[in-house]
Amino acid sequence: MSPDKIIVAIASILGVGFTYWFFLGKKEKEVQVSDAVDIIVDGGYTPEAISIAKGKTTKLNFIRRDPTACLEEVVLGDFKIRRQLPLNQKVTIELTPQRSGEFTYSCGMGMYHGKIIVTE
C-alpha cells in the first residue's frame, strides 16, 4: 500500500470517528425538576432534557436569548402547546403530565429539540 493511500485511510477513519462523536456521542444532561425550571433558549435548549413527576404541576420558564427566528416559538406537540418566545422575556408554561414517558419539544421549525421525561 502506498503512503498516500495510508494517509487517506487514516484520514477517513478519523473522519468517521469525529462524525460519530459529534452527532451520536453527545450525552444529554438530564435535570431533575421538582417545581420549576429555567430553560435558556440560545442555540438550542439548556438544559436539553428535564425529568418531571407524573401528575405534578411543573413550571417551565423559557427565556430566549437567541435572536434566531427559528427559536421564536416553542412547540410541545404531545401536550398541544405552542407559544411565542419574545426575546429576553420569561415565558412560563405549566405542565401537569398525566402519563409517564419521554416527550420532545422543539422550536417552531423543528430544528432544535428538547426532551421532557415524565416519571412515576
Side-chain angles (χ1 to χ4, degrees):
M1 186 179 264
S2 65
D4 58 333
K5 289 182 181 179
I6 293 172
I7 291 171
V8 169
I10 291 172
S12 298
I13 291 170
L14 291 175
V16 169
F18 176 77
T19 303
Y20 178 81
W21 170 80
F22 188 78
F23 289 106
L24 303 175
K26 291 182 179 179
K27 297 280 183 183
E28 58 191 28
K29 296 177 183 174
E30 180 183 325
V31 174
Q32 192 84 352
V33 178
S34 57
D35 296 321
V37 62
D38 289 341
I39 299 173
I40 305 301
V41 182
D42 190 4
Y45 301 100
T46 305
E48 289 182 39
I50 60 170
S51 177
I52 62 177
K54 176 182 166 186
K56 183 178 180 186
T57 300
T58 305
K59 292 182 180 179
L60 308 180
N61 301 315
F62 287 90
I63 304 163
R64 182 169 72 99
R65 296 194 176 135
D66 189 330
T68 307
C70 179
L71 293 167
E72 290 177 344
E73 190 176 57
V74 63
V75 180
L76 290 79
D78 293 313
F79 300 98
K80 301 185 182 353
I81 296 173
R82 176 181 291 258
R83 294 279 168 80
Q84 291 292 317
L85 302 177
L87 192 61
N88 296 318
Q89 293 182 25
K90 183 187 290 187
V91 175
T92 300
I93 296 174
E94 291 190 10
L95 280 183
T96 309
Q98 300 302 315
R99 58 186 172 106
S100 58
E102 292 188 3
F103 306 94
T104 59
Y105 59 91
S106 67
C107 66
M109 296 180 186
M111 295 174 62
Y112 297 98
H113 299 271
K115 185 185 298 182
I116 300 169
I117 302 163
V118 179
T119 58
E120 292 288 329

